[in-house]
Amino acid sequence: MKLGGFSLNTFPKGFMSCSINAGIKDNTLDFTILYSKVRASAAAMFTKNQFCGAPVVIGKQNAADGYLQAIAVNSKNANVATGDKGLKDAQKVTEAVAKELSIDSRDVLPSSTGVIGVPLPVEKILTSIPGLKNQLTENGLEQSAKAIMTTDTYPKFRTRKIGNVTISAMAKGSGMIEPNMATMLSYILTDAAIEPAQLQKMLKNAVDVSFNSVSVDGDTSTSDTVVAMANGLAGKVDLVEFEAVLTDLCIELAKEIARDGEGATKLVEVQVTGADDHVIAKKIGKSIINSPLVKTAIFGEDPNWGRIMSTIGNSEHQVNTGAVSVSFGDVYVFKNGAPAEDKRTELEEYLKTNEVLIKISLGDGQGSSTVWGCDLSYDYVKINGEYTT
Amino acid sequence: MKLGGFSLNTFPKGFMSCSINAGIKDNTLDFTILYSKVRASAAAMFTKNQFCGAPVVIGKQNAADGYLQAIAVNSKNANVATGDKGLKDAQKVTEAVAKELSIDSRDVLPSSTGVIGVPLPVEKILTSIPGLKNQLTENGLEQSAKAIMTTDTYPKFRTRKIGNVTISAMAKGSGMIEPNMATMLSYILTDAAIEPAQLQKMLKNAVDVSFNSVSVDGDTSTSDTVVAMANGLAGKVDLVEFEAVLTDLCIELAKEIARDGEGATKLVEVQVTGADDHVIAKKIGKSIINSPLVKTAIFGEDPNWGRIMSTIGNSEHQVNTGAVSVSFGDVYVFKNGAPAEDKRTELEEYLKTNEVLIKISLGDGQGSSTVWGCDLSYDYVKINGEYTT
């Protein structure tokens, strides 16, 4: 387990959860309820994919008023590209969960992740829901982080304290990862008292530098959803401090997603500085993180740095090629527009690490961005060549 | 050999070539001269990569007046990201070739392909040039197509007749293939009499629907160059017929590049129809051809068609999701916005082919485009994890 340790008393007050097997595909955990004893302020961000999932459509509606009380998540089936039936299925699950919890169905956010284009086995889920209220516990959040996994190899979960206040955050995602607003799925629960508008603003800022800065394969998922719930049971919190911790938590989870990218053997961080603005820096960073030629070279620990130059050169933004410098960690390969002194041996040595840092300076602009990704290995091909069969 | 047969008399009149080993990396053919006995009309298109190769910089200058007499190509080293020395090296090779052939150095187009960021071993090339004039032959073009290969597994070469006129075309390219103006390298030689401006216009049209419609890995190369030379020795030609044959030749070579993409086991053709315009259709087609999730599913012969829906949904252009239909060959998986009747067995059967056709209808717009690519296999990872080491 790559998880940091935490103790039971670090979970936020008033949140309960349960995770079960509803038999959606196999006998592993596949259905999860996250529940707050009181209605909570809520902020949510969703995929921009036009073929977004049925649960995303309903989740957007239900989170729109800034309040939620429960999240109902299934793995093993994304309920995407499933037509009208898919929408009805998602609504049925939402209503059944609300009934079981005796809450308003408009305070339930449904979420699904898994294969696209296969009808949701909704009857299996509906027959599993009655009685779940009695299975809710206050110490099951880590199990929930495990239950929402698909091709993830380990759960992604973090908890932090700010005085009396606690934030717990979980995420899943390993493939089809290039979040555009949010990651595959992430749920952030806190007992702090925060107004919905404030929560949404902080979440947006945090997501931009975390989940929206990571890519495994350049494919934005149809199910991306990140939701924050703040139920206020621990009282007020310093908002500046809260946003800093929230951002840090999101970055940690985003990096875990890249590190656990399908087939990944190395976490890759690209720091771009000196760009005209943040957007350009991020685009160039993403293009490097997504280049299959760069990714396979890193997997092979091959010092083929010329592929980075090619990727930078393909930017749609004007690059002053004479001002560009590139280093791996502190090993410079290209300095101020010309190849650096040959450091092939040092570079080969450096590439043996399992965390590769690529630093790119484009000049003296003020725009910078850090993005994360992973290498492209045989196992990526294996996992994705055999995913549904 | 996947080449079609051809006889010696199908080569265009007045063109000669030779290919040798200059010892750039190993003992295989790595240096080629293509030569016309008379100065020829010329049209050329180059990569838009901002870190374009030194030979591209010089080639642009020398082709600008619409005339060329020779092309000098080395494989095994791209002479890219090599600073001022790279430019001087490319100029030295150009001048040495011109001197050997007793022609103006401004009528020589230099071309290099291979690893990026490694200084060109220019002395090895310069010492190999004297005496090459005597090695020029009129029947060596197929060997030249072989000499310009890098990770290609077979040469790409085609010849066509139009009455008395002959066109021969060669191309190389297997990785770093998403041409943006031209392919990695392609040379088209004809003995037709065509004015430079006319030749450039026809070449641009042909390249748009051929080389610019293919992608192996989404990475536009720093060396992309396509050059057409028309020396006029066979006299005039019907220009409409010539353009049709030229376009057809370019499409055939582009498809060969996709079929021989690094590690490829299947050629993938995506036909997009019903888009608002050609540009949108092409962008969506390219996004499918470049999706690692779609590519690995095709490699694994996995009927995971939902990944295509996700890729369409990520288009930056508005898609009427309710009007979308998708089929593999004639096996429909999604029709008018809803999943088609389950054809999993037929689809699995269809995917066993080595030429996969994906047809996407976006509605009733007039824009359409056909693009080509290949699957993503273990061998792609192997080839690119070990390329320079």
Side-chain angles (χ1 to χ4, degrees):
Chain A
M1 292 277 281
K2 301 188 197 178
L3 285 173
F6 54 88
S7 56
L8 290 184
N9 64 2
T10 59
F11 289 137
K13 294 181 186 71
F15 283 99
M16 303 180 81
S17 68
C18 73
S19 297
I20 60 156
N21 170 252
I24 294 175
K25 184 179 174 188
D26 52 29
N27 61 2
T28 59
L29 297 175
D30 56 20
F31 187 70
T32 293
I33 293 176
L34 305 176
Y35 168 69
S36 171
K37 290 177 181 169
V38 298
R39 212 164 164 246
S41 295
M45 298 173 76
F46 300 93
T47 181
K48 285 185 170 167
N49 191 302
Q50 297 177 74
F51 270 108
C52 68
V56 170
V57 174
I58 292 170
K60 270 186 199 169
Q61 293 168 3
N62 291 359
D65 67 352
Y67 292 93
L68 288 173
Q69 196 163 353
I71 301 171
V73 196
N74 73 273
S75 55
K76 311 291 193 284
N77 186 308
N79 194 5
V80 172
T82 44
D84 279 344
K85 179 178 182 307
L87 271 176
K88 284 178 193 146
D89 289 347
Q91 186 60 32
K92 281 181 192 166
V93 172
T94 304
E95 284 169 11
V97 167
K99 190 178 169 203
E100 172 67 14
L101 300 174
S102 309
I103 61 177
D104 190 324
S105 70
R106 286 164 301 183
D107 287 333
V108 177
L109 181 134
S111 238
S112 298
T113 177
V115 67
I116 296 171
V118 175
L120 188 71
V122 66
E123 291 305 327
K124 289 183 182 174
I125 299 175
L126 293 177
T127 56
S128 302
I129 291 172
L132 284 188
K133 190 169 187 177
N134 297 328
Q135 293 192 41
L136 291 171
T137 67
E138 290 183 346
N139 56 10
L141 286 182
E142 193 197 345
Q143 196 188 35
S144 301
K146 197 170 172 182
I148 64 175
M149 300 193 308
T150 46
T151 54
D152 305 58
T153 67
Y154 59 88
K156 285 100 188 160
F157 188 82
R158 291 286 189 284
T159 287
R160 295 285 181 84
K161 298 285 283 184
I162 308 166
N164 197 35
V165 158
T166 306
I167 317 181
S168 288
M170 66 183 76
K172 66 84 49 181
S174 187
M176 203 175 274
I177 299 291
E178 172 149 4
N180 184 12
M181 284 312 282
T183 183
M184 190 73 181
L185 297 178
S186 178
Y187 310 112
I188 300 155
L189 311 175
T190 180
D191 46 20
I194 303 172
E195 291 301 309
Q198 203 86 42
L199 193 61
Q200 183 74 35
K201 193 177 149 219
M202 291 191 290
L203 184 66
K204 189 173 181 306
N205 291 342
V207 164
D208 184 49
V209 297
S210 59
F211 299 123
N212 278 5
S213 294
V214 67
S215 179
V216 169
D217 48 23
D219 276 332
T220 300
S221 150
T222 48
S223 302
D224 289 348
T225 300
V226 53
V227 185
M229 288 171 73
N231 69 10
L233 292 181
K236 296 213 165 166
V237 67
D238 179 289
L239 290 178
V240 173
E241 201 179 345
F242 185 89
E243 181 167 347
V245 172
L246 175 69
T247 301
D248 200 46
L249 266 180
C250 289
I251 288 176
E252 282 198 20
L253 289 173
K255 286 174 73 172
E256 290 298 322
I257 285 172
R259 191 191 307 276
D260 194 27
E262 285 174 339
T265 71
K266 295 175 195 289
L267 173 70
V268 182
E269 177 169 320
V270 178
Q271 295 174 356
V272 180
T273 56
D276 285 348
D277 62 42
H278 165 70
V279 175
I280 294 172
K282 193 164 174 176
K283 271 196 184 169
I284 289 178
K286 281 276 191 87
S287 71
I288 289 165
I289 282 292
N290 280 325
S291 160
L293 292 170
V294 172
K295 288 159 71 87
T296 44
I298 290 172
F299 169 64
E301 302 181 352
D302 182 356
N304 197 343
W305 58 267
R307 291 175 178 174
I308 291 172
M309 310 319 298
S310 176
T311 306
I312 297 171
N314 282 328
S315 167
E316 65 198 42
H317 302 285
Q318 182 81 37
V319 172
N320 176 1
T321 56
V324 173
S325 297
V326 175
S327 74
F328 285 73
D330 294 326
V331 184
Y332 274 87
V333 292
F334 200 79
K335 223 167 190 170
N336 302 321
E341 191 196 341
D342 189 23
K343 292 276 181 52
R344 188 183 169 96
T345 315
E346 291 91 325
L347 185 52
E348 281 179 341
E349 196 55 38
Y350 177 79
L351 287 171
K352 290 177 185 164
T353 177
N354 60 11
E355 294 201 4
V356 173
L357 171 62
I358 301 171
K359 293 194 274 193
I360 294 162
S361 169
L362 297 173
D364 48 16
Q366 293 301 304
S368 67
S369 179
T370 298
V371 300
W372 298 274
C374 58
D375 56 344
L376 172 54
S377 72
Y378 298 119
D379 278 353
Y380 180 86
V381 179
K382 183 173 164 66
I383 292 163
N384 286 300
E386 297 174 355
Y387 181 61
T388 67
T389 47
Chain B
M1 291 278 281
K2 301 187 195 175
L3 285 174
F6 53 89
S7 55
L8 290 186
N9 64 3
T10 60
F11 288 137
K13 293 182 186 71
F15 283 99
M16 303 181 83
S17 69
C18 73
S19 298
I20 59 156
N21 171 252
I24 293 175
K25 186 179 173 188
D26 52 27
N27 61 1
T28 58
L29 296 175
D30 57 19
F31 188 70
T32 293
I33 293 176
L34 306 175
Y35 168 69
S36 170
K37 289 178 183 172
V38 298
R39 214 165 161 246
S41 294
M45 298 175 75
F46 300 93
T47 181
K48 284 186 172 167
N49 192 303
Q50 297 176 74
F51 270 107
C52 67
V56 170
V57 175
I58 292 170
K60 272 185 198 169
Q61 292 167 4
N62 291 357
D65 67 352
Y67 291 92
L68 288 173
Q69 195 162 354
I71 301 171
V73 197
N74 72 273
S75 55
K76 312 293 194 286
N77 186 310
N79 194 4
V80 172
T82 44
D84 279 343
K85 181 179 180 305
L87 271 177
K88 283 179 194 145
D89 288 348
Q91 187 59 32
K92 281 181 194 166
V93 172
T94 305
E95 285 169 11
V97 168
K99 191 179 166 201
E100 172 67 15
L101 300 175
S102 308
I103 61 176
D104 190 324
S105 70
R106 287 166 300 184
D107 286 334
V108 177
L109 182 134
S111 238
S112 299
T113 177
V115 66
I116 295 172
V118 174
L120 188 72
V122 67
E123 290 305 326
K124 289 183 182 174
I125 298 175
L126 294 178
T127 56
S128 302
I129 291 172
L132 285 188
K133 189 167 187 179
N134 297 328
Q135 294 192 39
L136 291 171
T137 66
E138 291 184 343
N139 57 9
L141 286 181
E142 193 196 348
Q143 196 188 34
S144 301
K146 197 171 174 184
I148 63 175
M149 301 194 307
T150 47
T151 54
D152 305 58
T153 68
Y154 58 87
K156 285 101 188 160
F157 188 82
R158 291 286 189 284
T159 288
R160 295 286 181 84
K161 297 285 283 183
I162 308 166
N164 197 35
V165 157
T166 306
I167 316 180
S168 288
M170 66 183 76
K172 65 84 49 181
S174 186
M176 203 174 272
I177 298 289
E178 171 148 4
N180 184 12
M181 285 310 284
T183 184
M184 190 73 180
L185 298 179
S186 178
Y187 310 112
I188 299 155
L189 310 176
T190 180
D191 46 20
I194 304 172
E195 289 302 309
Q198 202 87 41
L199 191 62
Q200 182 74 35
K201 192 176 152 220
M202 290 192 290
L203 183 66
K204 188 173 182 309
N205 291 343
V207 164
D208 184 50
V209 297
S210 58
F211 299 123
N212 279 5
S213 294
V214 67
S215 179
V216 168
D217 48 22
D219 277 331
T220 300
S221 152
T222 48
S223 304
D224 288 350
T225 300
V226 53
V227 184
M229 287 171 73
N231 69 11
L233 292 181
K236 295 215 166 169
V237 66
D238 179 289
L239 289 179
V240 172
E241 200 180 342
F242 185 89
E243 183 167 346
V245 171
L246 175 69
T247 301
D248 199 46
L249 265 182
C250 289
I251 287 176
E252 281 199 19
L253 289 174
K255 286 174 74 171
E256 289 298 322
I257 285 173
R259 190 192 307 276
D260 194 27
E262 287 175 339
T265 72
K266 295 175 194 291
L267 173 70
V268 182
E269 177 169 320
V270 178
Q271 295 174 356
V272 180
T273 56
D276 286 347
D277 62 43
H278 165 71
V279 174
I280 294 172
K282 192 164 174 178
K283 271 196 184 170
I284 289 178
K286 280 275 191 91
S287 72
I288 289 164
I289 282 291
N290 280 324
S291 161
L293 292 169
V294 172
K295 287 160 72 86
T296 45
I298 290 172
F299 169 64
E301 302 180 351
D302 182 356
N304 198 346
W305 58 267
R307 292 176 178 172
I308 291 171
M309 309 319 296
S310 177
T311 306
I312 296 170
N314 283 328
S315 168
E316 65 199 38
H317 301 285
Q318 182 82 39
V319 172
N320 177 4
T321 56
V324 173
S325 297
V326 175
S327 72
F328 285 73
D330 294 325
V331 184
Y332 273 87
V333 293
F334 200 80
K335 222 167 189 170
N336 302 322
E341 191 195 340
D342 188 21
K343 294 273 180 55
R344 188 184 168 92
T345 314
E346 290 91 326
L347 185 52
E348 280 178 340
E349 195 55 40
Y350 177 78
L351 287 171
K352 291 176 184 164
T353 177
N354 60 10
E355 294 201 5
V356 173
L357 170 62
I358 301 170
K359 293 194 272 193
I360 295 162
S361 169
L362 296 173
D364 48 18
Q366 294 302 305
S368 67
S369 179
T370 298
V371 300
W372 298 274
C374 58
D375 56 345
L376 172 55
S377 73
Y378 297 118
D379 278 351
Y380 179 85
V381 179
K382 185 174 164 64
I383 291 163
N384 285 300
E386 297 173 359
Y387 181 61
T388 67
T389 49

